[in-house]
């Protein structure tokens, strides 16, 4: 975070936003003192009675990175302008960093055209300002067509640079102009050439208060009956199917959700996949939004509630209940009847209800969850380039659709090979690209999710981590399908509850995997519980695959169990393969040789 040199003012107001340890909340904003954001923050503080220590930052991204890193408690950034539309820097960073909106302030914004010296409009050579401010003043800029436009980090940065140029006797001070707040112009003794530079006098910006996580500061109170006082921001990644967006919109409208904004934003690192940023009337906890979000789950890969805030500047009602904006509508209505059994309070979103379609998880173009039966194969651990390349070629040639390979290995012994880490991910991704196969790899810790998601098309939760709840929650926020393995002592209810942790955070793309459980039997490494497949097919809409390798622990039993998995209705299998199992750094005894794999694939795909 780059702080500006301006002195930091402390707003000494009591009450408000639950400051931690009795201290003020440290709030990053785009400075310096007197900037648009500073004045809007002042309004917010006065209105809410919050105790805030403002920290001036250089730009929007710095402010949001500061809240992401935990350096400050909140960031207060512009979100939408009445003339220029949404503020892309804020929207993209909130989406990418997984931040949450917890409050908002609608503030009037004035822009003026100012220069270091009085000059006629046609003499201006260059106009500097924040790109969003330039966008708000398009009509004025059309009147000086010869002037170049220079983007800056903030409107105040432009004004300050011009004031310094004048002090240093720079020639450009005689030719340049800036668009900035009239107060800033006055403070820096700039000459105002045009006092109302924006395209329309009714120029307003909605500023939002952003946190790393947590609940909305603005309480869901008595005014729930007046839903249009509330706004909720959502990010929705639709399935790659024709008409998915249209179906989402009509489901939302049937649920009574009134959208107030919709725009598409690219997904970083996933060319041509699109997420939609939406804003709707009402609180995330309102009935219309809860049922609308539940209804669209079948059409989306990922939903995120970015937060709810109260539109306008009325004082806040007293606290009553607070809806968690990040958990996505997990209640089933009384109209939802499970196909079999009861909906338990622990498992709601994973349940197969009457009329609900089965989830098909698409892993980079490979559909899992229906027909055809999908083969996933690869080494237990990625060991070196040649090994993973040889196996990938064999997987592809035999009709396998996804390549597996571990880079972070959960080993029972700390002395065993722990995986190649990031270089293993790179080798796996490279082999996948070369042979046209999406790749799946295991992730063990929440902090590894981002790295693994950068390299892999699907992320695996291993048996040992099925109840690693922070990991599951993190995966719920990520835009990758998840392969969730059953813990070796986990019941099917516990497996479904673990899936629920991912689903409730907005990721709808979860595949369950039966991989054997601990019983008194020691002949096999684990006991493959094939009855899990028909039971789960009745109880959940999520796809189910079987891992016969870790269950058997012995390669010669793997083909029979793989065929049995298909016979009981699984949607696919995941098996371990090694070019030279005797030399494997992990799980060699259960790895299929290449000829065994080829024969198995022939049988299963016949
Ligand atoms: C693996 O897939 O290599 C693995 C460690 O599996 P599990 O978590 O099922 O033991
Ligand atoms: Mn293994």
């Amino acid at each position: 975070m780059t702080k500006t040199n301006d002195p930091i003012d402390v707003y000494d107001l009591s009450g408000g936003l639950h400051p931690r340890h009795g201290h003020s909340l440290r709030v990053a904003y785009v400075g310096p003192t007197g900037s648009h954001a500073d004045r809007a923050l002042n309004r917010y503080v006065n209105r809410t009675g919050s105790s805030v220590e403002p920290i001036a930052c250089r730009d929007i991204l710095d402010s949001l990175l500061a809240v992401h890193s935990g350096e400050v408690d909140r960031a207060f950034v512009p979100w939408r302008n009445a003339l220029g539309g949404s503020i892309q820097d804020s929207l993209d960073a909130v989406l990418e960093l997984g931040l949450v909106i917890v409050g908002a302030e609608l503030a009037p914004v004035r822009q003026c055209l100012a220069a270091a010296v009085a000059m006629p409009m046609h003499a201006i050579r260059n106009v500097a300002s924040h790109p969003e401010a330039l966008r708000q003043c398009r009509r004025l800029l059309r009147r000086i067509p010869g002037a170049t436009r220079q983007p800056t980090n903030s409107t105040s940065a432009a004004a300050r640079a011009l004031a310094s140029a004048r002090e240093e006797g720079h020639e450009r001070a005689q030719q340049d102009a800036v668009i900035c707040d009239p107060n800033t112009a006055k403070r820096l003794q700039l000459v105002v050439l045009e006092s109302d530079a924006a395209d329309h006098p009714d120029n307003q910006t909605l500023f939002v208060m952003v946190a790393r996580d947590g609940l909305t500061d603005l309480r869901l109170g008595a005014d729930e009956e007046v839903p249009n006082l509330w706004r909720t921001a959502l990010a929705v990644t639709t399935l790659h199917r024709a008409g998915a967006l249209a179906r989402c919109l009509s489901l939302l409208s049937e649920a009574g959700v009134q959208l107030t904004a919709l725009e598409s934003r690219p997904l970083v690192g996933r060319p041509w996949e699109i997420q939609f940023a939406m804003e709707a009337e009402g609180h995330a906890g309102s009935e219309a939004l809860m049922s609308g979000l539940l209804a669209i789950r079948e059409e989306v890969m990922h939903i995120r509630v970015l937060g709810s805030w109260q539109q306008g500047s009325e004082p806040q009602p007293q606290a009553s209940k607070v809806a968690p904006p990040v958990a996505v509508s997990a209640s089933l209505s009384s109209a939802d009847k499970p196909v079999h059994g009861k909906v338990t309070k622990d498992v709601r979103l994973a349940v197969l209800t009457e009329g609900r379609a089965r989830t098909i998880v698409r892993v980079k173009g490979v559909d899992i969850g229906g027909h055809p039966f999908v083969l996933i194969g690869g080494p237990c651990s990625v060991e070196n380039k040649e090994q993973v390349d040889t196996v990938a070629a064999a997987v592809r040639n035999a009709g396998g659709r996804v390549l597996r390979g571990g880079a972070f290995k959960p080993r029972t012994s700390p002395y065993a090979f722990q995986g190649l880490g990031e270089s293993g991910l790179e080798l796996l991704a490279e082999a996948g690209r070369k042979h046209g196969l999406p790749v799946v790899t295991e992730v063990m810790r929440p902090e590894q999710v981002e790295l693994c998601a950068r390299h892999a098309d699907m992320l695996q939760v291993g048996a040992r981590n099925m109840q690693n709840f922070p990991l599951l929650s993190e995966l719920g926020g990520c835009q990758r399908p998840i392969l969730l393995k059953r813990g070796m002592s986990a019941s099917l209810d516990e497996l479904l509850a673990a899936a629920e942790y991912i689903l409730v955070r907005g990721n709808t793309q979860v595949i369950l995997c039966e991989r054997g459980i601990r019983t008194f039997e020691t002949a096999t490494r684990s006991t493959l519980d094939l009855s899990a497949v028909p039971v789960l097919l009745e109880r959940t809409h999520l796809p189910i695959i079987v891992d016969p390798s870790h269950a058997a622990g012995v390669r010669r039993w793997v083909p029979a169990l793989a065929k049995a998995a298909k016979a009981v209705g699984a949607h696919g299998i995941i098996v371990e393969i090694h070019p030279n199992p005797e030399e494997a750094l992990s799980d060699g005894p259960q790895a299929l040789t290449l000829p065994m794999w080829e024969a198995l694939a022939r049988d299963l795909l016949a």
Side-chain angles (χ1 to χ4, degrees):
M1 176 171 68
T2 315
K3 289 179 187 153
T4 64
N5 294 327
D6 289 65
I8 291 164
D9 354 23
V10 176
Y11 297 33
D12 192 12
L13 293 159
S14 55
L17 304 177
H18 346 291
R20 267 179 246 160
H21 318 303
H23 292 119
S24 304
L25 281 175
R26 290 163 56 82
V27 180
Y29 72 100
V30 180
T33 308
S35 68
H36 286 124
D38 182 34
R39 286 186 304 115
L41 179 56
N42 242 316
R43 281 169 65 104
Y44 182 87
V45 163
N46 287 326
R47 181 168 63 81
T48 57
S50 319
S51 177
V52 158
E53 181 191 339
I55 312 285
C57 290
R58 194 184 51 179
D59 57 21
I60 292 173
L61 189 58
D62 265 7
S63 313
L64 292 170
L65 285 171
V67 80
H68 180 62
S69 67
E71 212 176 322
V72 297
D73 303 302
R74 300 281 154 89
F76 187 76
V77 293
W79 185 250
R80 181 177 295 285
N81 174 268
L83 304 174
S86 71
I87 312 292
Q88 305 286 300
D89 286 354
S90 300
L91 177 57
D92 288 344
V94 165
L95 290 174
E96 210 180 322
L97 301 173
L99 303 172
V100 175
I101 299 172
V102 294
E105 184 70 32
L106 193 60
V109 169
R110 277 190 61 206
Q111 307 287 13
C112 74
L113 181 72
V117 292
M119 64 170 108
M121 293 280 271
H122 62 80
I124 300 172
R125 290 278 156 269
N126 182 43
V127 182
S129 193
H130 190 274
E132 301 293 345
L134 293 169
R135 231 192 301 282
Q136 291 160 28
C137 304
R138 280 177 285 216
R139 289 187 187 159
L140 175 116
L141 291 172
R142 278 205 291 272
R143 284 165 44 207
I144 31 179
T148 54
R149 295 165 198 192
Q150 186 199 340
T152 54
N153 286 332
S154 64
T155 54
S156 12
R160 286 197 300 166
L162 186 56
S164 314
R166 177 187 54 198
E167 253 124 66
E168 286 158 18
H170 253 285
E171 198 188 327
R172 54 169 281 237
Q174 309 298 314
Q175 305 171 343
D176 287 6
V178 295
I179 286 171
C180 67
D181 181 279
N183 290 312
T184 306
K186 193 167 153 207
R187 207 159 42 87
L188 296 170
Q189 293 167 349
L190 298 177
V191 180
V192 174
L193 305 179
E194 188 101 9
S195 56
D196 271 315
D199 289 354
H200 194 276
D202 189 13
N203 189 17
Q204 296 183 314
T205 295
L206 178 75
F207 288 83
V208 291
M209 189 63 94
V210 175
R212 212 159 107 123
D213 46 38
L215 305 175
T216 174
D217 284 336
L218 306 182
R219 312 307 159 78
L220 187 58
D223 59 337
E224 203 188 347
E225 296 109 61
V226 194
N228 61 3
L229 278 185
W230 286 89
R231 291 283 186 276
T232 293
L234 311 164
V236 171
T237 310
T238 50
L239 294 170
H240 318 284
R241 287 193 200 130
L245 176 64
R247 279 194 298 279
C248 278
L249 297 181
S250 74
L251 286 167
L252 287 172
S253 128
E254 278 164 33
V257 174
Q258 174 81 36
L259 286 186
T260 54
L262 170 67
E263 67 186 280
S264 68
R265 301 301 306 145
L267 274 170
V268 178
R270 303 180 62 184
W272 318 125
E273 289 185 20
I274 297 172
Q275 66 182 325
F276 294 96
M278 299 181 180
E279 269 166 46
E281 283 185 3
H283 192 281
S286 70
E287 223 176 290
L289 265 162
M290 294 274 278
S291 59
L293 294 183
L294 195 60
I296 64 172
R297 294 188 70 92
E298 290 178 43
E299 300 294 340
V300 305
M301 273 165 49
H302 199 274
I303 311 179
R304 220 176 101 209
V305 176
L306 304 180
S308 296
W309 64 87
Q310 207 176 28
Q311 190 82 356
S313 52
E314 297 76 10
Q316 294 308 303
Q318 276 311 296
S320 56
K321 55 184 166 148
V322 180
V326 287
V328 178
S329 56
S331 64
L332 285 174
S333 81
S334 50
D336 292 307
K337 292 209 176 47
V339 173
H340 284 274
K342 287 207 304 276
V343 178
T344 70
K345 64 182 192 326
D346 301 329
V347 181
R348 305 171 189 196
L349 297 170
V351 172
L352 179 64
T353 48
E354 275 175 16
R356 203 240 191 259
R358 287 203 172 280
T359 294
I360 306 278
V361 172
R362 181 164 286 187
V363 186
K364 207 181 182 185
V366 175
D367 283 347
I368 304 178
H371 296 289
F373 191 72
V374 174
L375 307 189
I376 304 174
C380 177
S381 304
V382 174
E383 297 171 6
N384 56 60
K385 188 176 158 89
E386 195 193 343
Q387 171 238 22
V388 67
D389 184 70
T390 307
V391 178
V395 167
R396 171 79 202 204
N397 291 338
R401 304 296 309 279
V402 181
L403 176 67
R404 66 149 285 156
F408 296 102
K409 296 301 301 176
R411 302 307 301 280
T412 303
S413 161
Y415 307 116
F417 175 60
Q418 304 286 311
L420 293 181
E422 187 167 1
S423 61
L425 291 177
E426 284 163 4
L427 293 176
L428 180 71
E430 191 187 323
R433 270 192 302 274
K434 180 170 165 195
H435 298 282
L437 294 167
V439 301
V440 54
T441 199
E442 176 161 355
V443 54
M444 295 202 294
R445 292 192 285 127
E447 310 84 74
Q448 289 168 346
V449 169
E450 200 184 324
L451 174 69
C452 292
R454 218 179 306 141
H455 293 286
D457 305 294
M458 176 154 68
L459 303 180
Q460 173 178 326
V461 179
R464 290 157 190 79
N465 272 311
M466 189 201 82
Q467 286 187 319
N468 178 341
F469 300 118
L471 176 64
L472 298 175
S473 287
E474 187 70 23
L475 291 168
C478 106
Q479 302 256 0
R480 285 278 183 270
I482 308 302
L483 176 56
L484 176 63
K485 289 188 136 192
R486 180 180 182 182
M488 47 193 114
S489 313
S491 68
L492 295 180
D493 280 335
E494 287 163 339
L495 173 62
L496 290 173
E500 196 82 10
Y501 264 90
I502 302 169
L503 299 174
V504 77
R505 298 288 295 213
N507 189 342
T508 65
Q509 304 288 285
V510 179
I511 299 174
L512 305 176
C513 179
E514 162 58 39
R515 48 77 72 206
I517 50 175
R518 279 280 164 83
T519 66
F520 53 82
E521 183 53 72
T522 54
T524 47
R525 187 176 174 190
S526 286
T527 300
L528 186 62
D529 179 15
L530 279 177
S531 43
V533 177
V535 173
L536 289 171
L537 284 171
E538 278 182 359
R539 294 199 32 206
T540 179
H541 53 83
L542 298 173
I544 300 140
I545 67 167
V546 168
D547 172 351
S549 304
H550 289 86
V554 173
R555 85 175 61 86
R556 67 178 183 281
W557 298 327
V558 169
L561 295 177
K563 287 178 226 168
K566 187 178 180 194
V568 294
H571 299 114
I573 51 156
I574 177 166
V575 291
E576 290 188 344
I577 308 165
H578 200 283
N580 186 2
E582 306 310 319
E583 310 262 290
L585 296 180
S586 62
D587 286 349
Q590 69 199 33
L592 297 178
T593 62
L594 300 183
M596 284 176 84
W597 154 253
E598 282 149 16
L600 174 63
R602 248 193 326 272
D603 284 350
L604 287 171
L605 299 179

